[in-house]
Amino acid sequence: MTSHFPAKPVPCVRNVYGKEYANYINQPKANGWRFLFNQATGVVMNRYGTRAKNSELVLERLKGTNIKAKYIDGEIMGMRTRAAKGTIILIDAFDPANPQPIAERLKLIEEIEPASFEVKPNSLLRMPNLAHNKLRKCWEEMDYQNKRAGEVLWEGFVSKDDQKYPWTTNPSHFSPEWHKMRIRW
């Protein structure tokens, strides 16, 4: 059986504010610990393929949701920061046996409340999509929240090509369909 690991964005070669990323799905990059939850097995794995720390928290937050996908990709917040402790932010949901473009996959989690830049603690949220022409303004608000919290909650942006989920079978491999522009870390 093939092991699946969360998509790992490549660093941006160009600035995401440029026209090259106008047709991508643009989302904030949170400073959390990535997880991949296999709903068929009930196992929550981290980016490296071992059982995720705080997997009980992920299971607790997802209890009662009806996300129709084999895998749920997300971030456990409050592991590197004091703010947003106990919050899970969902990034994607997918099934390798039924590949879909990201626009369709995001519909699987659209009923979950979108995260605001002032992340609530002890919540289940989903990563919001950001309008490309408003990314600079979004960054101003994200960085304001970083300064307000006195720590880095938001690192930058991830721009995603609208293709099937780019999971990897090796935790050291990157997913070239997703590009990360890290502004703070």
Side-chain angles (χ1 to χ4, degrees), residues 72-107:
I72 298 173
D73 180 1
E75 299 259 7
I76 303 171
M77 299 300 291
M79 300 297 288
R80 293 187 182 111
T81 61
R82 293 176 311 278
K85 201 165 222 36
T87 292
I88 302 298
I89 302 179
L90 304 184
I91 296 171
D92 209 329
F94 71 99
D95 185 345
N98 182 25
Q100 296 179 314
I102 192 169
E104 291 301 310
R105 294 192 317 270
L106 293 179
K107 289 178 183 175

Short mmCIF file of all heavy atoms in Angstrom, two decimals, residues 72-107:
data_model
loop_
_atom_site.label_atom_id
_atom_site.label_comp_id
_atom_site.label_asym_id
_atom_site.label_seq_id
_atom_site.Cartn_x
_atom_site.Cartn_y
_atom_site.Cartn_z
N ILE A 72 -8.34 14.26 4.77
CA ILE A 72 -8.51 15.66 5.12
C ILE A 72 -7.13 16.20 5.48
O ILE A 72 -6.44 15.64 6.33
CB ILE A 72 -9.49 15.84 6.29
CG1 ILE A 72 -10.88 15.32 5.90
CG2 ILE A 72 -9.56 17.31 6.70
CD1 ILE A 72 -11.87 15.30 7.04
N ASP A 73 -6.76 17.29 4.83
CA ASP A 73 -5.46 17.94 5.03
C ASP A 73 -5.71 19.20 5.84
O ASP A 73 -6.66 19.94 5.58
CB ASP A 73 -4.88 18.29 3.65
CG ASP A 73 -3.53 18.98 3.70
OD1 ASP A 73 -2.98 19.19 4.79
OD2 ASP A 73 -3.02 19.31 2.60
N GLY A 74 -4.88 19.45 6.85
CA GLY A 74 -5.10 20.63 7.67
C GLY A 74 -3.89 21.03 8.49
O GLY A 74 -2.81 20.45 8.37
N GLU A 75 -4.11 22.03 9.32
CA GLU A 75 -3.09 22.58 10.22
C GLU A 75 -3.60 22.53 11.65
O GLU A 75 -4.74 22.91 11.92
CB GLU A 75 -2.80 24.05 9.90
CG GLU A 75 -2.28 24.31 8.53
CD GLU A 75 -0.78 24.53 8.49
OE1 GLU A 75 -0.11 24.33 9.54
OE2 GLU A 75 -0.29 24.87 7.42
N ILE A 76 -2.76 22.06 12.55
CA ILE A 76 -3.04 22.12 13.98
C ILE A 76 -2.39 23.41 14.48
O ILE A 76 -1.17 23.56 14.43
CB ILE A 76 -2.46 20.91 14.74
CG1 ILE A 76 -2.99 19.59 14.16
CG2 ILE A 76 -2.75 21.03 16.24
CD1 ILE A 76 -2.29 18.35 14.70
N MET A 77 -3.21 24.35 14.91
CA MET A 77 -2.68 25.64 15.37
C MET A 77 -2.35 25.58 16.86
O MET A 77 -2.81 24.69 17.57
CB MET A 77 -3.71 26.74 15.10
CG MET A 77 -4.06 26.91 13.62
SD MET A 77 -2.66 27.33 12.58
CE MET A 77 -2.31 28.99 13.16
N GLY A 78 -1.54 26.54 17.28
CA GLY A 78 -1.19 26.63 18.70
C GLY A 78 -0.06 25.69 19.11
O GLY A 78 0.20 25.55 20.30
N MET A 79 0.60 25.08 18.15
CA MET A 79 1.73 24.20 18.49
C MET A 79 3.03 25.00 18.51
O MET A 79 3.91 24.71 19.30
CB MET A 79 1.83 23.06 17.47
CG MET A 79 0.58 22.19 17.40
SD MET A 79 0.23 21.32 18.94
CE MET A 79 1.51 20.10 18.93
N ARG A 80 3.13 25.98 17.63
CA ARG A 80 4.31 26.85 17.59
C ARG A 80 4.01 28.23 18.19
O ARG A 80 4.90 29.04 18.34
CB ARG A 80 4.74 27.07 16.14
CG ARG A 80 5.27 25.87 15.45
CD ARG A 80 5.83 26.28 14.08
NE ARG A 80 6.31 25.12 13.40
CZ ARG A 80 5.75 24.59 12.32
NH1 ARG A 80 4.68 25.15 11.80
NH2 ARG A 80 6.24 23.53 11.77
N THR A 81 2.74 28.49 18.43
CA THR A 81 2.31 29.81 18.89
C THR A 81 1.39 29.67 20.10
O THR A 81 0.83 28.61 20.34
CB THR A 81 1.53 30.53 17.77
OG1 THR A 81 0.37 29.76 17.45
CG2 THR A 81 2.38 30.73 16.53
N ARG A 82 1.24 30.76 20.83
CA ARG A 82 0.30 30.75 21.95
C ARG A 82 -1.12 31.02 21.45
O ARG A 82 -2.09 30.48 21.96
CB ARG A 82 0.69 31.83 22.97
CG ARG A 82 2.00 31.57 23.67
CD ARG A 82 2.40 32.72 24.60
NE ARG A 82 2.34 34.04 24.00
CZ ARG A 82 3.29 34.59 23.23
NH1 ARG A 82 4.38 33.91 22.96
NH2 ARG A 82 3.15 35.80 22.74
N ALA A 83 -1.23 31.88 20.46
CA ALA A 83 -2.54 32.23 19.91
C ALA A 83 -3.11 31.07 19.10
O ALA A 83 -2.36 30.23 18.59
CB ALA A 83 -2.41 33.47 19.02
N ALA A 84 -4.40 31.02 19.02
CA ALA A 84 -5.13 30.02 18.23
C ALA A 84 -4.98 28.60 18.76
O ALA A 84 -5.26 27.63 18.06
CB ALA A 84 -4.74 30.08 16.75
N LYS A 85 -4.57 28.46 20.00
CA LYS A 85 -4.40 27.13 20.60
C LYS A 85 -5.71 26.35 20.53
O LYS A 85 -6.78 26.89 20.77
CB LYS A 85 -3.95 27.27 22.05
CG LYS A 85 -3.28 26.02 22.59
CD LYS A 85 -2.55 26.36 23.86
CE LYS A 85 -1.21 25.75 24.04
NZ LYS A 85 -0.32 25.54 22.99
N GLY A 86 -5.62 25.10 20.14
CA GLY A 86 -6.80 24.24 20.07
C GLY A 86 -7.60 24.37 18.79
O GLY A 86 -8.65 23.77 18.65
N THR A 87 -7.09 25.16 17.83
CA THR A 87 -7.82 25.34 16.57
C THR A 87 -7.23 24.46 15.48
O THR A 87 -6.02 24.30 15.37
CB THR A 87 -7.79 26.83 16.14
OG1 THR A 87 -8.58 27.56 17.07
CG2 THR A 87 -8.33 27.04 14.75
N ILE A 88 -8.12 23.91 14.68
CA ILE A 88 -7.76 23.13 13.50
C ILE A 88 -8.25 23.92 12.29
O ILE A 88 -9.40 24.34 12.25
CB ILE A 88 -8.46 21.74 13.52
CG1 ILE A 88 -8.10 20.95 14.78
CG2 ILE A 88 -8.16 20.97 12.25
CD1 ILE A 88 -6.65 20.63 14.94
N ILE A 89 -7.35 24.13 11.34
CA ILE A 89 -7.74 24.80 10.09
C ILE A 89 -7.62 23.78 8.96
O ILE A 89 -6.53 23.26 8.70
CB ILE A 89 -6.88 26.04 9.79
CG1 ILE A 89 -6.97 27.06 10.93
CG2 ILE A 89 -7.32 26.67 8.47
CD1 ILE A 89 -6.13 28.29 10.72
N LEU A 90 -8.74 23.51 8.29
CA LEU A 90 -8.75 22.58 7.17
C LEU A 90 -8.26 23.28 5.91
O LEU A 90 -8.64 24.41 5.63
CB LEU A 90 -10.14 22.01 6.94
CG LEU A 90 -10.79 21.32 8.15
CD1 LEU A 90 -12.14 20.73 7.76
CD2 LEU A 90 -9.87 20.27 8.74
N ILE A 91 -7.41 22.58 5.17
CA ILE A 91 -6.83 23.12 3.94
C ILE A 91 -7.47 22.49 2.71
O ILE A 91 -7.71 23.17 1.72
CB ILE A 91 -5.30 22.87 3.93
CG1 ILE A 91 -4.65 23.62 5.07
CG2 ILE A 91 -4.70 23.26 2.59
CD1 ILE A 91 -3.18 23.28 5.26
N ASP A 92 -7.74 21.20 2.77
CA ASP A 92 -8.20 20.48 1.58
C ASP A 92 -8.83 19.16 2.02
O ASP A 92 -8.65 18.73 3.16
CB ASP A 92 -7.00 20.20 0.67
CG ASP A 92 -7.35 20.12 -0.81
OD1 ASP A 92 -8.47 19.70 -1.14
OD2 ASP A 92 -6.49 20.48 -1.64
N ALA A 93 -9.55 18.54 1.11
CA ALA A 93 -10.13 17.21 1.32
C ALA A 93 -10.08 16.50 -0.03
O ALA A 93 -10.42 17.10 -1.05
CB ALA A 93 -11.56 17.31 1.83
N PHE A 94 -9.65 15.24 -0.04
CA PHE A 94 -9.47 14.57 -1.32
C PHE A 94 -9.53 13.06 -1.18
O PHE A 94 -9.42 12.52 -0.09
CB PHE A 94 -8.15 14.99 -1.97
CG PHE A 94 -6.93 14.43 -1.29
CD1 PHE A 94 -6.30 13.31 -1.79
CD2 PHE A 94 -6.43 15.01 -0.14
CE1 PHE A 94 -5.18 12.78 -1.16
CE2 PHE A 94 -5.31 14.49 0.50
CZ PHE A 94 -4.68 13.37 -0.02
N ASP A 95 -9.67 12.41 -2.33
CA ASP A 95 -9.62 10.95 -2.43
C ASP A 95 -8.76 10.62 -3.65
O ASP A 95 -9.14 10.95 -4.77
CB ASP A 95 -11.03 10.37 -2.60
CG ASP A 95 -11.04 8.85 -2.58
OD1 ASP A 95 -9.96 8.22 -2.72
OD2 ASP A 95 -12.13 8.29 -2.43
N PRO A 96 -7.59 9.99 -3.46
CA PRO A 96 -6.73 9.67 -4.61
C PRO A 96 -7.42 8.80 -5.66
O PRO A 96 -7.08 8.87 -6.83
CB PRO A 96 -5.55 8.93 -4.00
CG PRO A 96 -5.59 9.23 -2.55
CD PRO A 96 -7.01 9.56 -2.20
N ALA A 97 -8.41 8.01 -5.25
CA ALA A 97 -9.13 7.16 -6.21
C ALA A 97 -10.11 7.95 -7.07
O ALA A 97 -10.59 7.46 -8.09
CB ALA A 97 -9.87 6.05 -5.46
N ASN A 98 -10.43 9.17 -6.65
CA ASN A 98 -11.37 10.02 -7.38
C ASN A 98 -10.80 11.44 -7.47
O ASN A 98 -11.30 12.36 -6.82
CB ASN A 98 -12.73 10.03 -6.67
CG ASN A 98 -13.75 10.85 -7.40
OD1 ASN A 98 -13.68 11.06 -8.60
ND2 ASN A 98 -14.73 11.36 -6.65
N PRO A 99 -9.73 11.63 -8.26
CA PRO A 99 -9.08 12.95 -8.30
C PRO A 99 -10.00 14.03 -8.87
O PRO A 99 -10.71 13.80 -9.84
CB PRO A 99 -7.86 12.74 -9.20
CG PRO A 99 -7.98 11.40 -9.80
CD PRO A 99 -9.10 10.66 -9.12
N GLN A 100 -10.00 15.18 -8.20
CA GLN A 100 -10.82 16.32 -8.61
C GLN A 100 -9.98 17.59 -8.54
O GLN A 100 -9.05 17.68 -7.74
CB GLN A 100 -12.02 16.49 -7.67
CG GLN A 100 -12.99 15.34 -7.69
CD GLN A 100 -14.12 15.58 -6.71
OE1 GLN A 100 -13.91 15.97 -5.58
NE2 GLN A 100 -15.34 15.35 -7.17
N PRO A 101 -10.33 18.60 -9.34
CA PRO A 101 -9.63 19.88 -9.21
C PRO A 101 -9.93 20.52 -7.85
O PRO A 101 -10.95 20.20 -7.21
CB PRO A 101 -10.18 20.72 -10.36
CG PRO A 101 -11.41 20.04 -10.82
CD PRO A 101 -11.34 18.61 -10.38
N ILE A 102 -9.08 21.41 -7.43
CA ILE A 102 -9.21 22.01 -6.10
C ILE A 102 -10.54 22.74 -5.92
O ILE A 102 -11.12 22.71 -4.84
CB ILE A 102 -8.01 22.93 -5.77
CG1 ILE A 102 -8.05 23.29 -4.28
CG2 ILE A 102 -7.97 24.15 -6.65
CD1 ILE A 102 -6.81 23.96 -3.76
N ALA A 103 -11.04 23.37 -6.97
CA ALA A 103 -12.32 24.08 -6.84
C ALA A 103 -13.42 23.13 -6.40
O ALA A 103 -14.28 23.49 -5.59
CB ALA A 103 -12.68 24.76 -8.17
N GLU A 104 -13.40 21.91 -6.89
CA GLU A 104 -14.40 20.90 -6.48
C GLU A 104 -14.11 20.37 -5.09
O GLU A 104 -15.01 20.16 -4.29
CB GLU A 104 -14.44 19.74 -7.49
CG GLU A 104 -15.01 20.14 -8.84
CD GLU A 104 -16.43 20.68 -8.73
OE1 GLU A 104 -17.28 20.04 -8.09
OE2 GLU A 104 -16.69 21.76 -9.29
N ARG A 105 -12.84 20.14 -4.78
CA ARG A 105 -12.48 19.61 -3.46
C ARG A 105 -12.85 20.58 -2.34
O ARG A 105 -13.30 20.18 -1.27
CB ARG A 105 -10.98 19.29 -3.40
CG ARG A 105 -10.58 18.17 -4.31
CD ARG A 105 -9.17 17.68 -4.03
NE ARG A 105 -8.20 18.71 -3.79
CZ ARG A 105 -7.44 19.30 -4.72
NH1 ARG A 105 -7.58 18.97 -6.00
NH2 ARG A 105 -6.55 20.21 -4.40
N LEU A 106 -12.65 21.87 -2.59
CA LEU A 106 -12.95 22.85 -1.55
C LEU A 106 -14.43 22.92 -1.23
O LEU A 106 -14.81 23.32 -0.13
CB LEU A 106 -12.39 24.22 -1.94
CG LEU A 106 -10.87 24.31 -1.97
CD1 LEU A 106 -10.42 25.71 -2.39
CD2 LEU A 106 -10.25 23.92 -0.64
N LYS A 107 -15.28 22.49 -2.16
CA LYS A 107 -16.71 22.43 -1.89
C LYS A 107 -17.01 21.41 -0.79
O LYS A 107 -18.01 21.52 -0.09
CB LYS A 107 -17.49 22.08 -3.15
CG LYS A 107 -17.51 23.19 -4.18
CD LYS A 107 -18.24 22.76 -5.43
CE LYS A 107 -18.19 23.85 -6.49
NZ LYS A 107 -18.80 23.40 -7.75
#
